């Protein structure tokens, strides 16, 4: 680190306390803020934590995948088959009776099936969790190595040191942080989609969005989406756009809660594709990345008296 940076006064950072309970002695007040210097470290940690949350969702999706279930059953049957006994024809008169006789004659085999199934599940989950960890760690490293610039449009180290340009400070205003009991608990960031935006049309994309896991069901994600829509309209008016405005959100196919929120807010899925960068996740397990969007118009106030 250069001498200039070492000697520069850095804003005192507010800790996101992601792995600690909130301070119960702090008044239960809810506030909001744009991305200010004191929230630079918290914003970086929260963006990385949201990626970790997606990793957990991916693990659960893989654990319940038909391929994994089939493998577990095959393993269980393989170990149980040598000890299993089939009931004779005279022992049953119908399908239900057959199953009952099969169960009675193989009570001692059940523990083997259960143990083999559990061990098979544990082995597969351990192996696959390493695959998901490798994939999502690469996303986290991109955030950390860019010092948050690939997400927030601003170098968070420079923001904390007060060395940002005016343009970067404007980007910081496109981040919305929810603060509860003095601690950041949720965050969303908007960036302009330069490829799809034109001189008439404004297209904004959500680069990161999430909250502490415990507050996900509280309606806080809905509030973040509402803010994105309001902020998009503000930028549309300020930029003197005259065409359409659109808000885009990237989701994973294994994120049903956020997809439900977006549907309620009028979003629709525009396209989906297999996850890139991991053959196992994308090709074998069919996990997808989806693009959701909402298009809305703004009517300028009439000049009539």
């Amino acid at each position: 680190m250069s001498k200039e940076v070492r000697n520069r006064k850095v804003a005192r950072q507010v800790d996101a306390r992601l792995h600690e309970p909130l301070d119960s002695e702090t008044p239960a007040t809810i506030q909001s803020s744009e991305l200010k210097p004191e929230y630079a470290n918290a914003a970086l940690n929260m963006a990385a934590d949201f990626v970790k949350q997606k990793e957990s969702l991916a693990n659960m999706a893989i654990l319940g995948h038909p391929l994994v279930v089939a493998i577990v059953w095959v393993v269980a049957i393989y170990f149980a088959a040598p000890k299993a006994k089939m009931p004779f024809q005279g022992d049953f008169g119908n399908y239900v009776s057959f199953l009952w006789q099969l169960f009675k004659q193989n009570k001692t085999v059940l523990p083997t099936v259960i143990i083999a199934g559990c061990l098979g599940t544990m082995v597969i989950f351990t192996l696959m969790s390493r695959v998901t960890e490798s994939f999502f760690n690469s996303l986290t490293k991109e955030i950390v190595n860019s010092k948050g610039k690939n997400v927030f449009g601003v170098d968070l180290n420079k923001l904390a040191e007060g060395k940002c340009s005016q343009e970067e400070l404007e980007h910081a205003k496109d981040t919305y942080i929810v603060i509860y009991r003095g601690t950041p608990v949720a965050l969303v960031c908007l960036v302009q989609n330069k490829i799809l935006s034109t001189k008439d049309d404004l297209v904004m994309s959500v680069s990161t969005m999430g909250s502490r896991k415990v507050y996900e069901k509280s309606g806080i994600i809905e509030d973040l989406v509402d803010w994105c829509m309001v902020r998009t309209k503000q930028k549309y008016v300020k930029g003197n756009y005259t065409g359409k405005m659109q808000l885009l959100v990237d989701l994973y196919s294994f994120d049903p809660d956020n997809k439900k929120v977006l549907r309620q807010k009028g979003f629709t899925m525009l396209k989906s594709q297999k996850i890139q960068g991991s053959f196992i996740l994308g090709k074998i397990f069919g996990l997808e990345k989806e693009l959701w969007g909402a298009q809305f118009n703004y009517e300028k106030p009439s000049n009539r008296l």
Side-chain angles (χ1 to χ4, degrees):
M1 187 176 289
S2 67
K3 182 177 180 180
E4 178 186 357
V5 173
R6 286 200 305 268
N7 292 338
R8 189 149 189 124
K9 186 177 181 181
V10 178
R12 183 177 180 180
Q13 295 298 296
V14 176
D15 191 355
R17 301 163 59 96
L18 294 173
H19 305 294
E20 301 175 20
L22 300 184
D23 187 358
S24 59
E25 297 183 0
T26 303
T29 56
I30 300 177
Q31 302 170 302
S32 63
S33 173
E34 61 187 52
L35 182 54
K36 296 180 179 179
E38 59 266 32
Y39 296 117
N41 189 55
L44 183 66
N45 290 336
M46 291 174 75
D49 186 66
F50 298 159
V51 174
K52 195 68 177 178
Q53 290 180 18
K54 298 300 182 286
E55 179 185 331
S56 297
L57 290 176
N59 285 333
M60 296 306 298
I62 290 173
L63 192 60
H65 194 277
L67 177 60
V68 172
V69 174
I71 293 175
V72 170
W73 273 106
V74 168
V75 171
I77 293 173
Y78 174 81
F79 285 100
K83 301 179 182 179
K85 299 177 182 178
M86 292 295 292
F88 292 104
Q89 181 72 27
D91 293 338
F92 58 92
N94 54 50
Y95 182 69
V96 175
S97 178
F98 170 77
L99 291 178
W100 174 246
Q101 292 297 328
L102 183 66
F103 171 75
K104 286 178 62 177
Q105 295 184 25
N106 292 280
K107 286 183 179 179
T108 57
V109 181
L110 282 178
T112 301
V113 174
I114 294 173
I115 293 173
C118 290
L119 289 175
T121 301
M122 290 173 60
V123 170
I124 294 174
F125 182 76
T126 300
L127 293 175
M128 292 312 307
S129 63
R130 292 182 180 179
V131 174
T132 57
E133 182 181 23
S134 174
F135 174 75
F136 286 99
N137 273 355
S138 66
L139 302 182
T140 301
K141 287 180 180 178
E142 289 178 6
I143 297 173
V144 175
N145 291 342
S146 71
K147 300 177 180 63
K149 191 166 186 176
N150 67 331
V151 172
F152 301 99
V154 56
D155 185 317
L156 295 178
N157 280 5
K158 290 184 178 180
L159 179 67
E161 296 162 2
K163 298 173 62 178
C164 289
S165 65
Q166 188 60 40
E167 181 182 0
E168 289 174 318
L169 292 177
E170 285 298 318
H171 285 313
K173 294 179 181 180
D174 293 330
T175 295
Y176 179 74
I177 303 173
V178 179
I179 303 154
Y180 179 58
R181 293 186 183 274
T183 302
V185 296
L187 174 150
V188 66
C189 179
L190 281 176
V191 294
Q192 184 174 347
N193 191 312
K194 299 291 187 181
I195 297 176
L196 299 180
S197 294
T198 66
K199 65 181 183 65
D200 296 320
D201 301 332
L202 174 64
V203 181
M204 300 294 292
S205 298
V206 174
S207 59
T208 184
M209 179 174 68
S211 71
R212 287 173 69 119
K213 196 70 177 175
V214 69
Y215 297 117
E216 281 187 345
K217 304 291 186 180
S218 68
I220 199 166
I221 300 298
E222 288 86 339
D223 292 339
L224 297 181
V225 175
D226 287 339
W227 180 87
C228 288
M229 299 178 78
V230 171
R231 182 61 178 166
T232 299
K233 291 179 181 179
Q234 291 174 344
K235 294 184 74 66
Y236 180 91
V237 174
K238 185 177 180 179
N240 294 318
Y241 292 93
T242 57
K244 68 180 181 181
M245 52 182 160
Q246 190 174 32
L247 180 59
L248 303 177
V249 184
D250 282 320
L251 289 181
Y252 289 104
S253 58
F254 45 84
D255 191 357
D257 291 338
N258 280 341
K259 288 199 282 188
K260 180 180 178 181
V261 170
L262 292 184
R263 286 194 190 98
Q264 292 173 345
K265 296 297 182 181
F267 285 72
T268 56
M269 188 176 71
L270 304 178
K271 69 175 183 178
S272 64
Q273 63 177 10
K274 304 296 183 184
I275 286 179
Q276 304 295 312
S278 175
F279 177 82
I280 294 177
L281 298 182
K283 299 295 184 181
I284 296 180
F285 288 98
L287 302 185
E288 297 182 336
K289 192 170 185 179
E290 301 173 351
L291 179 65
W292 288 65
Q295 183 174 314
F296 40 101
N297 298 312
Y298 175 79
E299 294 184 4
K300 293 183 178 181
S302 174
N303 292 326
R304 292 180 301 175
L305 294 177

